[in-house]
Amino acid sequence: MKLKFFFLSSALVAATLPSFGWGQKGHDLTAHIAERHLTPATQRAVDEILDGQSMVYFANWPDNACHTPEYDYTKTWHYKNIDPEQTYETAPLNEDGDIVTALNEQYAVLTNPESTKDQKWLALVLTVHFLGDIHQPLHMGRANDRGGNSHKIKYFNGDTNLHSTWDSKLVESAHKWSYTEWADNIDRVSPQTEAEILNGGSPREWGKETYEISKKVYDSTPEGTNVSYDYIAEWSPVIERQLLSAGLRLADLLNGIFDPTYAPRHGEIK
């Protein structure tokens, strides 16, 4: 399959590409938490589409792929930008697509019995990645600073920007864990909390939820802020909740697609 050969070659140049989303660890964690909650029927379907590879194996693939001519059309699918004078509802739609519309489109491909295996492969890999992205607050950030990329701050006195800080710096500083250790420690909520995370949501609602967090991030991090221990302590619980929510919602979405006996708890995907 051509896509697999591309994955291997893209891995060789990954170090030269800018990171975004949650960074590698955050995306690996989202995929791993989801895998822990797949039903046996869903796991078999995923294994068939991915030829036995795990979702973790491909979790970061879209970040590399969108920098190539073949997949550059997916660049805008990783985020939805909303400027301060706009609201989630009034922000103009990007004609090239955004993360909310992209997730809905991948769902349509995965649920279409006429989709080919290659089409399902791409849709599944993008869905795994985008469920992580839509829970990263700066992926619902402002257009006027490119989702925080032009919002200059410091991180322990070193020059950086708000987007980069939320991509990976905060995740790595919150806990010095591997992605499996992250999962072991945060994927242990009560059934009531899990229900609260899952019930009734859809890409539109997930995006709006993250957008509300994004506004608070901007309010607490004006340009020139020097991020230090107090900032990490304040935002670590939010990061944990967002990463857990991404993994649980990904599992619920996939179980609803691939297991006819599963009753999904998400809302209507359209």
Side-chain angles (χ1 to χ4, degrees), residues 156-232:
F156 289 92
N157 297 312
D159 292 336
T160 187
N161 62 69
L162 187 59
H163 193 112
S164 177
T165 296
W166 273 83
D167 270 353
S168 55
K169 290 183 175 65
L170 291 179
V171 175
E172 295 292 349
S173 296
H175 304 289
K176 295 297 184 182
W177 294 333
S178 65
Y179 72 84
T180 56
E181 290 170 328
W182 265 91
D184 288 342
N185 282 283
I186 70 172
D187 184 16
R188 53 198 304 135
V189 296
S190 68
Q192 292 79 11
T193 299
E194 184 173 334
E196 178 185 323
I197 290 170
L198 292 178
N199 286 347
S202 69
R204 178 177 174 81
E205 284 74 36
W206 301 333
K208 187 172 184 179
E209 176 185 277
T210 303
Y211 164 64
E212 294 300 327
I213 296 172
S214 173
K215 291 193 294 184
K216 296 177 182 177
V217 171
Y218 275 104
D219 287 344
S220 71
T221 325
E223 287 202 76
T225 295
N226 184 28
V227 170
S228 188
Y229 298 105
D230 55 344
Y231 189 96
I232 296 167

Side-chain angles (χ1 to χ4, degrees), residues 4 7-8 35 38 43-59 121 124-125:
K4 292 180 185 175
F7 172 79
L8 294 175
E35 286 182 329
L38 297 183
Q43 187 64 68
R44 287 192 295 272
V46 169
D47 286 345
E48 171 64 22
I49 293 171
L50 300 183
D51 288 329
Q53 293 286 3
S54 73
M55 294 194 299
V56 175
Y57 185 78
F58 293 109
W121 186 96
L124 176 56
V125 170

Side-chain angles (χ1 to χ4, degrees), residues 5-227:
F5 290 117
F6 171 77
F7 172 79
L8 294 175
S9 62
S10 68
L12 298 177
V13 299
T16 69
L17 301 175
S19 64
F20 48 100
W22 278 115
Q24 181 170 342
K25 185 168 292 184
H27 282 295
D28 288 352
L29 172 61
T30 295
H32 183 59
I33 288 176
E35 286 182 329
R36 292 161 58 126
H37 292 268
L38 297 183
T39 68
T42 301
Q43 187 64 68
R44 287 192 295 272
V46 169
D47 286 345
E48 171 64 22
I49 293 171
L50 300 183
D51 288 329
Q53 293 286 3
S54 73
M55 294 194 299
V56 175
Y57 185 78
F58 293 109
N60 284 278
W61 181 87
D63 275 350
N64 298 330
C66 74
H67 292 278
T68 68
E70 188 171 3
Y71 297 102
D72 65 352
Y73 66 91
T74 66
K75 278 185 179 178
T76 66
W77 294 9
H78 294 249
Y79 58 86
K80 179 180 176 69
N81 286 153
I82 304 164
D83 275 332
E85 67 275 11
Q86 302 163 346
T87 68
Y88 186 79
E89 290 76 18
T90 64
L93 294 177
N94 189 323
E95 63 181 16
D96 295 321
D98 62 39
I99 192 165
V100 175
T101 58
L103 275 169
N104 291 335
E105 290 169 2
Q106 306 325 301
Y107 181 85
V109 172
L110 290 170
T111 55
N112 184 351
E114 301 300 317
S115 296
T116 66
K117 183 175 178 179
D118 278 6
Q119 289 170 332
K120 289 185 176 182
W121 186 96
L122 181 58
L124 176 56
V125 170
L126 291 176
T127 297
V128 170
H129 187 85
F130 293 160
L131 252 293
D133 280 349
I134 203 169
H135 288 84
Q136 207 274 55
L138 274 298
H139 277 249
M140 304 300 296
R142 298 171 179 172
N144 62 16
D145 66 7
R146 301 183 301 120
N149 279 291
S150 301
H151 188 104
K152 303 302 182 184
I153 63 173
K154 292 182 179 293
Y155 196 80
F156 289 92
N157 297 312
D159 292 336
T160 187
N161 62 69
L162 187 59
H163 193 112
S164 177
T165 296
W166 273 83
D167 270 353
S168 55
K169 290 183 175 65
L170 291 179
V171 175
E172 295 292 349
S173 296
H175 304 289
K176 295 297 184 182
W177 294 333
S178 65
Y179 72 84
T180 56
E181 290 170 328
W182 265 91
D184 288 342
N185 282 283
I186 70 172
D187 184 16
R188 53 198 304 135
V189 296
S190 68
Q192 292 79 11
T193 299
E194 184 173 334
E196 178 185 323
I197 290 170
L198 292 178
N199 286 347
S202 69
R204 178 177 174 81
E205 284 74 36
W206 301 333
K208 187 172 184 179
E209 176 185 277
T210 303
Y211 164 64
E212 294 300 327
I213 296 172
S214 173
K215 291 193 294 184
K216 296 177 182 177
V217 171
Y218 275 104
D219 287 344
S220 71
T221 325
E223 287 202 76
T225 295
N226 184 28
V227 170

